[in-house]
Amino acid sequence: MDKLKDGGILFFESHNLINDRERFDRICGIFLDAGMKILERENYFSDFDRDIVVMKKNVWFYKMKVLILVPHQDDELILCGSFLKKLADENDVYIVFSTNGDYEENVRFVRLEESLKTADLYGIRQDRIIFLGYANEYQLSGPHIYDAGADEVVYSQYGNCYTYGLSNHPEYYYSKTGKHHLYTRKNFKDDLKNVLLDILPDLIFVTDVEIHPDHKANSLFFDEVMGELLKEIDDFAPIILKKPGY
């Protein structure tokens, strides 16, 4: 918490993750120990309600490794756009896109190129933009990648089954191995886990569960991977902020 700087508000929100009062109080205590004041607190402890903590101090994230994990090229702005420039000016910001946003074949490269131009506008380095390279949804005749078997190959809406990026900015797995990765649940999860291991961020913004299947998958895959990493790495304890948008 020594990396917090004057100038901001921190919102912490959890949907159905804090299901007992003891755990809820413990999480509140982490922020209280950092000198924050609880401005609003609602906790209902049911399967259908949510727990909300809003805390304020004159704080801002400063000189941290920040990872923004989103499914589509525009979700980084929906999630963090209102403060992304300030975040990038004072921190080392990575943006990880879990899909290529290719709901149609004719946009398969367009959205990737646009995301790089957007990063330039916000002062985020090109090598901090990471494409996992998976599909925007999947064929209706088969499962979504999140619901597929571990090694079951799934296909994009226009029949592709391999990760891809741009020729001058390849997807994550290709940049590591020189090969494209099949669209399988295991591969998606492995790629996401390896990205997190490569960066080991101090602060993570990630989309929460909502109606779009890619947003649901992005959130739930992240929960699975983080659950494993927190058990495997004793000193890895990032601040995690999950919400549809801030």
Side-chain angles (χ1 to χ4, degrees):
M1 291 297 182
D2 59 346
K3 295 183 179 180
L4 296 173
K5 184 185 178 183
D6 287 349
I9 298 176
L10 175 64
F11 295 88
F12 173 82
E13 183 168 349
S14 173
H15 296 260
N16 302 324
L17 294 179
I18 308 173
N19 53 17
D20 65 75
R21 184 171 298 277
E22 181 181 353
R23 290 184 64 209
F24 188 81
D25 289 341
R26 187 164 66 249
I27 290 173
C28 288
I30 293 171
F31 293 102
L32 290 172
D33 288 345
M36 298 182 189
K37 178 183 177 182
I38 297 179
L39 295 184
E40 179 182 347
R41 172 169 168 168
E42 302 174 21
N43 52 299
Y44 300 101
F45 307 113
S46 80
D47 291 338
F48 302 102
D49 292 312
R50 62 186 183 178
D51 312 311
I52 302 176
V53 186
V54 180
M55 303 181 182
K56 179 180 174 71
K57 182 189 175 186
N58 289 325
V59 300
W60 180 246
F61 305 112
Y62 185 61
K63 291 187 177 179
M64 301 176 81
K65 281 195 293 184
V66 180
L67 187 149
I68 299 170
L69 174 63
V70 292
H72 308 117
Q73 292 73 18
D74 67 4
D75 288 323
E76 77 280 21
L77 302 181
I78 296 170
L79 184 62
C80 300
S82 62
F83 53 87
L84 183 56
K85 183 66 171 68
K86 180 175 175 60
L87 196 68
D89 285 346
E90 299 186 356
N91 299 273
D92 187 8
V93 174
Y94 296 75
I95 302 177
V96 178
F97 296 102
S98 59
T99 87
N100 283 344
D102 52 354
Y103 57 89
E104 294 177 352
E105 188 171 8
N106 62 355
V107 301
R108 62 199 306 253
F109 300 119
V110 173
R111 297 188 76 177
L112 304 185
E113 292 166 348
E114 287 178 346
S115 68
L116 295 178
K117 292 176 181 177
T118 300
D120 279 340
L121 291 174
Y122 283 88
I124 300 171
R125 288 167 39 183
Q126 297 283 289
D127 65 347
R128 297 304 197 247
I129 305 302
I130 298 171
F131 304 129
L132 292 192
Y134 290 86
N136 186 110
E137 302 185 59
Y138 295 85
Q139 290 183 346
L140 294 178
S141 58
H144 193 280
I145 196 168
Y146 182 80
D147 300 311
D151 296 312
E152 179 181 359
V153 178
V154 293
Y155 295 83
S156 72
Q157 296 182 68
Y158 56 89
N160 181 49
C161 65
Y162 282 95
T163 60
Y164 67 92
L166 298 170
S167 59
N168 62 341
H169 200 112
E171 77 274 22
Y172 175 75
Y173 188 74
Y174 189 91
S175 70
K176 292 289 186 179
T177 68
K179 299 177 182 179
H180 302 291
H181 230 177
L182 271 171
Y183 286 169
T184 70
R185 190 185 203 283
K186 181 181 183 302
N187 288 349
F188 186 112
K189 186 175 172 181
D190 286 348
D191 287 351
L192 178 56
K193 188 172 185 177
N194 286 329
V195 166
L196 287 167
L197 284 169
D198 284 350
I199 299 170
L200 290 177
D202 304 302
L203 169 65
I204 302 171
F205 291 92
V206 58
T207 52
D208 207 345
V209 171
E210 53 184 288
I211 191 169
H212 195 295
D214 292 342
H215 285 249
K216 291 179 182 177
N218 191 73
S219 177
L220 295 172
F221 269 125
F222 173 79
D223 290 348
E224 285 186 30
V225 169
M226 278 302 302
E228 294 174 6
L229 290 176
L230 292 174
K231 294 175 183 176
E232 294 168 6
I233 308 173
D234 289 340
D235 58 351
F236 182 47
I239 299 170
I240 297 170
L241 300 177
K242 288 189 74 177
K243 202 173 183 181
Y246 285 94

